[in-house]
Amino acid sequence: MDITPSQFFDQHFTGEPSHLAFAPGRIEFIGNHTDYNGGLVIGAAVNEGITIAVRLRDDKLIKIVSDLGNLTERPLGNYKPVLGDDSWTNYPIGVTKVMNEAGMHCQKGYDMAITSTLPSGVGMSSSAALELAAAHALAALYAFETDTAGFARIGRKAENEFVGMPCGILDQGVCAFGRANHLIRLDCATEDFSTIPMPEGTHFWIFDSKKKHALIDSAYAERFNECQNAILQLRADYPKASTLSEISYEQLEASKDRIDPTLYLRAAHVVGENARVRAVESALATEDLQAVGDALNASHMSSRNNFDNSTEELDTLVDLLKLQSHVYGARLTGGGFGGAVMAMTDSTFSQRHADIIAADFKAKYGYKPTIFRTQSGDGARLIS
Ligand code: GLA
């Protein structure tokens, strides 16, 4: 889009917004489907994201427009999720509802204009960016106070309870706590966040397969349920464990014959991912970038073989990337079942290398993946 977020606001609502907030997209670096299993995950906020411009209205209406959708209108207090073309409004409306329940008082409605620099549908969580940008904008508008973790929880609660997606805290947490030139580590059991400096000279490339399973949300919910069932079965042997992240690899192996074979594979993915997050932390501390890359590759293999959340196109992208000597490692990023692959590369990996991969992919599937390079950026914030 060529106009600024304030100009876009002016086009629809005439005049200046009183507040502007920005929230970034995120990369899931490693720790796949660990978040709702009380585990460890490392991600990074990116520079691209969503900007929200808001202003109070004189009446009790909420009007929301986005550069991807129509102008929508509903009365303040009408907080029912909608289906169809306007379902993107469930994110800011869900956030409004959650913030109201947490004590945000709204006497008047608001005008909200949403603009995005984040490619949607590539697994970089435009939904968390929308939630967090809305939360920061509304907090400023209605003088509501919370801290960074509070903003992350508001976004997650809106997603879980209003949008109806049983996600963990990864997307909203990384979006909230992002820091330029850093990775963000989350312990989802304690909701502790910390930062890890990005090794110098490393880059992120995203290769979007442009394909997704038709029933992506129900596939995610199915994995969520399988993980819940896996821990239920394992509890027969380990009654004190409340999540899969409290089960060690040795314990899982010892109980292998007593749990359902599919649930064993799901558990093996989560237990393995937690171990790989720890391995990546140690490797980053000693700047052993090849060991980091090996863990990324192993994570993808586990998605493919254990968690069954990869696709043929994603596997092909990872296989092609692994052939390049400038690539440390590659894996699907985010929930899976389609979407994008993330590669960590050295600084000599260039568009020319990316184009070779795109051409090889096209030879197999008849179309090119969307490719872009991104950098770690700062977390969600009020701009003005
Ligand atoms: C999606 C969810 C996250 C997380 C990842 C998988 O992105 O929104 O909460 O579960 O999938 O790691």
Side-chain angles (χ1 to χ4, degrees), residues 26 28 31-36 165 167-168 170-171 220 334-335:
R26 66 99 187 88
E28 176 192 284
N32 187 247
H33 287 260
T34 49
D35 60 353
Y36 57 82
M165 159 90 171
C167 65
L170 161 69
D171 302 342
Y220 184 94

Side-chain angles (χ1 to χ4, degrees), residues 26 28 31-36 41 123 125 127 156 159 165-172 220 269 273 307 309 331-336:
R26 66 99 187 88
E28 176 192 284
N32 187 247
H33 287 260
T34 49
D35 60 353
Y36 57 82
V41 56
S125 201
S127 52
R156 181 186 178 190
E159 181 104 26
M165 159 90 171
C167 65
I169 192 79
L170 161 69
D171 302 342
Q172 294 80 11
Y220 184 94
H269 180 65
E273 283 294 278
F307 214 65
N309 63 332
R331 60 182 291 276
L332 69 81
T333 180

Side-chain angles (χ1 to χ4, degrees), residues 299-316:
S299 167
H300 187 81
M301 287 311 286
S302 178
S303 275
R304 181 173 176 164
N305 299 329
N306 295 330
F307 214 65
D308 197 17
N309 63 332
S310 186
T311 59
E312 200 197 305
E313 288 83 359
L314 294 178
D315 294 344
T316 298

Side-chain angles (χ1 to χ4, degrees), residues 254-268:
S255 299
K256 181 173 180 178
D257 296 338
R258 283 188 295 285
I259 65 170
D260 172 274
T262 301
L263 298 186
Y264 163 80
L265 292 175
R266 308 304 186 236

Side-chain angles (χ1 to χ4, degrees), residues 315-328:
D315 294 344
T316 298
L317 284 169
V318 168
D319 290 344
L320 290 170
L321 282 157
K322 283 200 305 203
L323 295 175
Q324 294 277 340
S325 56
H326 306 292
V327 174
Y328 292 114

Side-chain angles (χ1 to χ4, degrees), residues 57-266:
R57 294 180 56 84
D58 286 333
D59 54 18
K60 288 184 184 282
L61 283 179
I62 294 177
K63 290 195 181 188
I64 309 180
V65 66
S66 118
D67 52 2
L68 295 175
N70 298 326
L71 180 76
T72 68
E73 178 179 321
R74 63 173 96 189
L76 190 68
N78 176 9
Y79 300 138
K80 287 197 188 65
V82 295
L83 297 171
D85 285 353
D86 291 342
S87 57
W88 56 272
T89 61
N90 291 335
Y91 298 97
I93 293 294
V95 164
T96 309
K97 179 168 191 277
V98 168
M99 289 174 77
N100 280 161
E101 285 162 2
M104 182 176 79
H105 201 55
C106 308
Q107 294 284 10
K108 293 176 177 172
Y110 58 80
D111 290 327
M112 174 181 280
I114 302 168
T115 52
S116 176
T117 55
L118 195 62
S120 71
V122 300
M124 291 171 83
S125 201
S126 47
S127 52
L130 186 47
E131 288 153 1
L132 271 283
H136 276 273
L138 293 174
L141 196 62
Y142 294 108
F144 175 87
E145 283 187 20
T146 187
D147 57 8
T148 309
F151 278 115
R153 282 191 209 109
I154 287 167
R156 181 186 178 190
K157 201 160 187 254
E159 181 104 26
N160 288 168
E161 295 176 7
F162 198 77
V163 178
M165 159 90 171
C167 65
I169 192 79
L170 161 69
D171 302 342
Q172 294 80 11
V174 171
C175 177
F177 282 91
R179 185 167 159 205
N181 303 318
H182 286 75
L183 295 163
I184 309 300
R185 178 200 191 267
L186 309 183
D187 180 336
C188 302
T190 56
E191 294 194 357
D192 277 341
F193 298 82
S194 51
T195 54
I196 308 173
M198 267 288 289
E200 267 184 42
T202 51
H203 296 268
F204 295 130
W205 287 76
I206 304 291
F207 290 75
D208 176 18
S209 73
K210 298 203 272 201
K211 272 214 176 149
K212 278 185 181 178
H213 282 193
L215 299 173
I216 193 162
D217 290 350
S218 59
Y220 184 94
E222 183 181 274
R223 291 295 174 279
F224 178 89
N225 289 330
E226 286 171 343
C227 290
Q228 304 296 310
N229 289 335
I231 187 63
L232 275 180
Q233 292 194 4
L234 285 162
R235 234 180 252 153
D237 289 348
Y238 312 107
K240 288 194 185 140
S242 57
T243 67
L244 285 179
S245 300
E246 291 162 45
I247 301 287
S248 70
Y249 188 68
E250 291 70 24
Q251 287 175 321
L252 180 63
E253 287 308 296
S255 299
K256 181 173 180 178
D257 296 338
R258 283 188 295 285
I259 65 170
D260 172 274
T262 301
L263 298 186
Y264 163 80
L265 292 175
R266 308 304 186 236

Side-chain angles (χ1 to χ4, degrees), residues 313-381:
E313 288 83 359
L314 294 178
D315 294 344
T316 298
L317 284 169
V318 168
D319 290 344
L320 290 170
L321 282 157
K322 283 200 305 203
L323 295 175
Q324 294 277 340
S325 56
H326 306 292
V327 174
Y328 292 114
R331 60 182 291 276
L332 69 81
T333 180
F337 309 107
V341 158
M342 174 220 78
M344 182 176 114
T345 74
D346 67 23
S347 50
T348 56
F349 186 88
S350 65
Q351 190 62 45
R352 189 174 62 81
H353 299 106
D355 289 343
I356 293 171
I357 290 166
D360 287 347
F361 184 93
K362 187 176 175 196
K364 195 164 176 189
Y365 297 107
Y367 71 94
K368 285 190 177 175
T370 305
I371 303 171
F372 61 96
R373 179 183 167 163
T374 187
Q375 281 179 321
S376 56
D378 286 326
R381 57 199 178 266

